[in-house]
Amino acid sequence: MHPLHSSFEKRFGQAPAVIARAPGRIEFIGNHTDYNGGAVLGASIQQGVTVAAGLRRDGCIQLATLGGGPAVRLDELPKQGRSGSESWINYPVGVAWELFRERTDLQRQGWNLLVESDLPTGAGLSSSAALELSSALALHHLTGLDWSRRELVLAARRAENDFVGVPCGILDQGVSGYGSEDALVFIDCRGPDFSTVPLPAGVRFWIFNTHQKHALVDSLYSQRHNECRQALRLLQAAGRRIEHLIDLPADEVDAAVAEFPAAVARRARHVIHEHHRVLAAVDRLGGGDLAGVGELLYASHHSSSELFENATPELDFLVANLRGRPGVIGARLTGGGFGGAVMAVTDESYTREAAESVARAYRERFGSPLEILPTRPGPGARLLYPEG
Ligand code: GLA
């Protein structure tokens, strides 16, 4: 029996009816391509979020985290999100709103939810999408709904956009929802369409988390979003009949954006070339050219740093330090940027000692510790109980 079973029983005095788990994700390549209709490759990882849930008869909703304080008790499904230490409930509550939108009977239904996570927060591994997807699967099963995986993934993203209020693309929820132990998730974000690309056995990921976050990280993300939209509008105004920024042919970018405000031009150049790097990475993976994939990862980081300007001196230092080390295939910043983490893709020969030496160099240079998290591809969101 899953250990969360007895914790749930102790907490709520009933057995859980469902236990679901969803993984965190790594953005393998495709930085800020998702909300521009581009392509992105991601990996679901071993670490993730597990939730147990059960129905209540009294219409109340209680949400708790394993090892956390008392449960948050709600008399009804709240229309507004919480802030501060209870803001984590916005993810399951937002998902509940999406699932129960057409069902007033389910909106009035009470439930208990217990959350357990082995996914560090703030490491750019999208613990929020993992919580959304695990909650979506659990509430979906609990209330006897019959949605497809695709519908659940899209609902989780809407919850994040509309209820939590973060204007993210589909990368995080898509990868957590469609992940696989031996493949990367490829998303064509126009559909969006989800598929997988086999990953050779023995590929490992190492996350180097700086724990540095730009104080304005959320507004910088929105600002980049707006700059990309501005680039698209300017291109359309100039007569380009394109729907997404990435529809502009790569060899026409430089001329097409030459007269744009300089920052907007840089964002467009990054996004369009990054989209093509993702497609090239799929080709090279298909051809077994891992070294070639590594070159694309470094090129992606360089472009994020120079053109999208979402790297930091810390992230640049880490990528430069990792490059060329034995066992390292490639490295780049992963996720939104403006701080956060660098991901290294390695083969099996890469060791903890090698990673520690990166951390020592980092500490010498910046005077602060670096968190090292080794991981590897893991399964996507799934029911653990009853077995899915
Ligand atoms: C964050 C967002 C994603 C994506 C990345 C950048 O992780 O949640 O949707 O935009 O940034 O690629």
Side-chain angles (χ1 to χ4, degrees):
M1 197 177 287
H2 194 278
L4 207 52
H5 207 102
S6 57
S7 316
F8 188 92
E9 261 174 356
K10 264 188 224 135
R11 170 79 73 156
F12 296 117
Q14 66 170 168
V18 58
I19 302 180
R21 179 167 171 87
R25 66 96 190 94
I26 285 174
E27 178 191 284
F28 187 85
I29 189 168
N31 198 229
H32 289 258
T33 49
D34 61 356
Y35 55 83
N36 287 299
V40 61
L41 273 173
S44 54
I45 58 170
Q46 302 262 312
Q47 293 82 355
V49 174
T50 307
V51 308
L55 292 175
R56 293 176 66 96
R57 295 222 180 98
D58 60 1
C60 282
I61 296 167
Q62 290 212 34
L63 308 106
T65 56
L66 194 70
V72 179
R73 190 187 159 92
L74 309 166
D75 293 331
E76 58 181 11
L77 200 57
K79 294 230 159 53
Q80 295 279 311
R82 296 276 166 110
S83 54
S85 64
E86 290 181 352
S87 59
W88 65 271
I89 72 160
N90 298 343
Y91 301 100
V93 167
V95 161
W97 271 118
E98 288 299 331
L99 293 179
F100 306 159
R101 188 163 295 284
E102 310 289 327
R103 292 283 300 271
T104 44
D105 57 328
L106 295 182
Q107 289 171 19
R108 286 194 295 269
Q109 171 67 56
W111 37 277
N112 292 320
L113 189 96
L114 181 63
V115 179
E116 180 198 24
S117 173
D118 61 359
L119 192 60
T121 53
L125 298 172
S126 205
S127 51
S128 55
L131 179 53
E132 285 155 3
L133 258 299
S134 52
S135 302
L137 274 184
L139 293 174
H140 174 259
H141 180 86
L142 193 63
T143 52
L145 291 170
D146 187 20
W147 290 28
S148 66
R149 181 158 293 254
R150 178 187 166 79
E151 285 170 322
L152 290 175
V153 163
L154 299 184
R157 185 209 172 169
R158 286 197 303 273
E160 176 113 17
N161 289 166
D162 302 342
F163 195 82
V164 180
V166 176
C168 66
I170 190 65
L171 164 69
D172 307 344
Q173 293 80 13
V175 174
S176 184
Y178 281 91
S180 151
E181 253 172 320
D182 44 22
L184 297 174
V185 179
F186 175 80
I187 311 178
D188 176 340
C189 299
R190 277 172 300 193
D193 295 320
F194 306 96
S195 55
T196 51
V197 177
L199 195 61
V203 168
R204 299 285 180 269
F205 301 123
W206 292 77
I207 301 299
F208 295 93
N209 183 10
T210 66
H211 286 279
Q212 310 276 326
K213 267 275 170 216
H214 197 291
L216 299 175
V217 59
D218 291 341
S219 62
L220 283 166
Y221 187 91
S222 307
Q223 192 191 85
R224 290 295 182 277
H225 210 300
N226 291 334
E227 286 165 342
C228 292
R229 198 171 302 158
Q230 193 185 344
L232 175 63
R233 285 212 198 96
L234 288 171
L235 287 165
Q236 288 167 334
R240 295 276 179 174
R241 300 175 68 166
I242 55 174
E243 193 184 337
H244 302 285
L245 195 48
I246 55 94
D247 295 333
L248 188 72
D251 58 357
E252 295 175 23
V253 183
D254 287 347
V257 304
E259 308 283 306
F260 290 4
V264 174
R266 285 197 294 276
R267 309 307 178 237
R269 284 167 56 211
H270 165 78
V271 166
I272 293 164
H273 290 298
E274 182 76 351
H275 167 70
H276 289 281
R277 274 188 288 272
V278 177
L279 302 182
V282 173
D283 273 356
R284 290 181 188 183
L285 281 166
D289 177 13
L290 274 185
V293 172
E295 287 309 314
L296 293 167
L297 299 181
Y298 293 121
S300 164
H301 181 83
H302 183 74
S303 176
S304 295
S305 184
E306 296 293 315
L307 297 177
F308 212 72
E309 296 173 279
N310 62 338
T312 59
E314 287 86 349
L315 299 179
D316 287 341
F317 174 87
L318 286 171
V319 171
N321 192 285
L322 284 156
R323 190 167 190 159
R325 301 273 173 172
V328 176
I329 296 166
R332 56 180 290 274
L333 71 81
T334 182
F338 307 109
V342 158
M343 160 209 71
V345 181
T346 75
D347 62 27
E348 282 169 302
S349 73
Y350 193 73
T351 59
R352 161 74 63 177
E353 291 74 61
E356 298 285 0
S357 79
V358 175
R360 270 197 303 281
Y362 181 86
R363 187 191 276 275
E364 267 168 36
R365 171 76 173 73
F366 296 103
S368 47
L370 186 69
E371 185 190 11
I372 301 169
L373 182 81
T375 187
R376 55 165 96 176
R382 66 210 186 276
L383 280 191
L384 299 181
Y385 169 82
E387 271 170 45

